[in-house]
Amino acid sequence: MKQKQVILLHFFYWLLIIFNGVLARVIYSMEGFQIFDITIFIANLLGFYVNYFFVVPRFFDPKRFYLMIIGFFVGVFIFVLFRYSMEELLLPAFGGFRNYAEGTNFLYYFYDNIYYSSLSVFVSTNLWFFKYYLKVEEERTVLIEERKNAELQALKTQINPHFIFNSLNNIYSLVYQNSDKALPAIEKLSELLRYTTKDLENKEIGLDKEIGYIESLIELEKLRIRNPELLNFEKKIEHPKLLISPMILVPFVENTFKHGDFRGKGFTLKITEVSEKLHFYLQNFKSIREKDNVSGIGIENVRKRLEILYPKKYELNITETEAEFIVDLKIDLSK
């Protein structure tokens, strides 16, 4: 698209040059086009593109402005050289006439043609700058996107080990207690690992899959909690296939199970989506031993990813009191 913009600018410039020549002859009641109209047009055309493709790229240096000034006069010189070759060498040799008086030296010819060449050199230089600017912007956009993807990938690789670490701790505890819940816990963990291994590679997944992770995680954690009925989970989703970045919601639930107090207590989790607006609300009681350090890698990770993926489209409020930890997250998932 940007390349088409540059081509259109070239096209309109030459259309304007031709139209201006025709209009000038109509206004001043001049006769039809003469040979010198053709030679100056050819000189403009050749000078324009030699300057555009060869001169400006070689003399452009923002740190050395004098080089660009030299480049401008090199562009003028090329225009003059083309015009002088046609009007003062070829035409006298093959047509027996010239534009300037016989004996006109090249230095005067150069000086007199600075005016005629300036527009062509100026416009070609600026069009090159415009093309250069578009290229730099495109490269900058690609670079930002690559950095963003690299950062997101790095953040994602943090999520999986963190999640495994938490789950293995739970399973270790069950095995240590010789609990018959250990094998079902391993089975649930393998299901979750299949999810994360498959879907973390994708930029987006269905909202139903993200919530499916949470439901599986809750089922896994219920195996070790004495009062699983206290885990209050409600969901109301209008568009289950609505796309969301994977592992945006799960870390909050992981954090709850890692740092929450489940000795006779539970949590309240509500996930609603209406008109592509997602609302995630989680309230849990803090463990006494974790009161000074509740948030960890997972939540900080999510903060960074939200800022990258949903700038100005999310609102995250985390409220921490002596006894409670509350997460209130709203994301606009509309495209």
Side-chain angles (χ1 to χ4, degrees):
M1 183 63 186
K2 292 180 179 179
Q3 184 63 27
K4 288 182 179 180
Q5 292 175 341
V6 175
I7 293 173
L8 281 174
L9 285 174
H10 283 255
F11 173 77
F12 283 121
Y13 170 73
W14 290 112
L15 192 65
L16 184 63
I17 290 295
I18 295 171
F19 177 76
N20 183 64
V22 173
L23 186 63
R25 293 200 165 272
V26 171
I27 292 174
Y28 296 106
S29 301
M30 300 171 68
E31 297 179 358
F33 284 98
Q34 300 177 357
I35 187 65
F36 298 120
D37 294 316
I38 297 174
T39 56
I40 196 170
F41 179 80
I42 295 174
N44 267 310
L45 186 67
L46 295 175
F48 184 100
Y49 286 108
V50 170
N51 184 67
Y52 182 83
F53 287 112
F54 301 103
V55 177
V56 181
R58 283 163 176 75
F59 284 88
F60 174 70
D61 187 346
K63 296 181 180 179
R64 294 186 288 179
F65 186 70
Y66 70 89
L67 278 181
M68 292 190 284
I69 296 176
I70 293 173
F72 176 81
F73 283 102
V74 170
V76 171
F77 176 80
I78 290 171
F79 168 89
V80 173
L81 188 62
F82 281 129
R83 190 179 184 192
Y84 184 86
S85 299
M86 287 184 289
E87 295 184 354
E88 306 303 318
L89 297 177
L90 293 178
L91 286 180
F94 295 99
F97 60 94
R98 54 172 26 99
N99 189 15
Y100 283 65
E102 189 172 355
T104 301
N105 62 52
F106 184 79
L107 186 61
Y108 175 82
Y109 196 92
F110 178 83
Y111 169 77
D112 195 49
N113 276 274
I114 290 177
Y115 168 78
Y116 295 105
S117 62
S118 293
L119 178 63
S120 178
V121 174
F122 177 79
V123 172
S124 66
T125 300
N126 279 277
L127 282 178
W128 185 88
F129 284 155
F130 179 69
K131 184 183 74 169
Y132 175 79
Y133 169 78
L134 291 179
K135 181 181 177 182
V136 169
E137 281 298 301
E138 185 175 356
E139 290 175 350
R140 188 175 72 87
T141 302
V142 171
L143 182 61
I144 291 174
E145 188 66 24
E146 288 176 352
R147 285 178 179 174
K148 182 190 294 185
N149 290 337
E151 183 175 354
L152 285 172
Q153 193 59 39
L155 292 171
K156 283 181 179 181
T157 57
Q158 289 179 5
I159 293 172
N160 206 20
H162 179 63
F163 167 73
I164 295 172
F165 178 77
N166 290 342
S167 299
L168 286 177
N169 269 347
N170 297 338
I171 294 173
Y172 174 81
S173 176
L174 293 173
V175 172
Y176 183 78
Q177 298 169 20
N178 292 320
S179 171
D180 58 358
K181 298 178 181 179
L183 288 179
I186 293 173
E187 183 180 0
K188 285 293 180 182
L189 177 59
S190 66
E191 291 176 4
L192 288 168
L193 289 179
R194 279 196 294 270
Y195 290 148
T196 56
T197 302
K198 179 181 178 181
D199 291 313
L200 272 181
E201 297 177 356
N202 300 323
K203 289 184 178 181
E204 294 179 311
I205 60 172
L207 184 57
D208 56 342
K209 283 190 175 183
E210 179 77 358
I211 296 175
Y213 298 161
I214 294 173
E215 291 174 328
S216 296
L217 179 59
I218 292 173
E219 290 301 314
L220 177 63
E221 294 292 344
K222 278 183 177 180
L223 297 175
R224 71 176 182 89
I225 295 176
R226 293 181 180 178
N227 303 102
E229 69 278 1
L230 296 178
L231 303 183
N232 181 24
F233 176 39
E234 301 175 16
K235 67 174 182 178
K236 181 182 178 182
I237 307 298
E238 282 188 357
H239 306 91
K241 299 303 179 182
L242 190 63
L243 295 178
I244 187 172
S245 178
M247 291 296 179
I248 283 289
L249 307 178
V250 173
F252 292 115
V253 182
E254 289 180 352
N255 186 77
T256 293
F257 285 119
K258 182 178 180 182
H259 301 290
D261 184 0
F262 294 97
R263 294 172 299 180
K265 300 176 182 179
F267 67 60
T268 298
L269 173 60
K270 297 179 181 180
I271 304 177
T272 59
E273 178 272 316
V274 179
S275 301
E276 301 185 345
K277 304 295 189 298
L278 177 68
H279 186 194
F280 176 93
Y281 177 86
L282 175 62
Q283 177 271 331
N284 70 275
F285 296 96
K286 291 164 57 177
S287 173
I288 296 176
R289 59 187 173 83
E290 297 287 354
K291 282 186 178 180
D292 294 329
N293 185 25
V294 173
S295 62
I297 294 174
I299 288 182
E300 186 59 31
N301 191 316
V302 174
R303 286 184 188 275
K304 293 178 181 179
R305 293 179 67 212
L306 284 169
E307 192 59 37
I308 293 172
L309 295 166
Y310 303 103
K312 299 181 180 180
K313 295 184 70 176
Y314 82 95
E315 182 181 342
L316 174 61
N317 294 306
I318 295 179
T319 304
E320 188 173 359
T321 66
E322 186 69 18
E324 291 181 314
F325 192 78
I326 300 172
V327 176
D328 194 341
L329 172 63
K330 298 175 182 177
I331 309 176
D332 182 357
L333 297 176
S334 60
K335 298 298 183 181

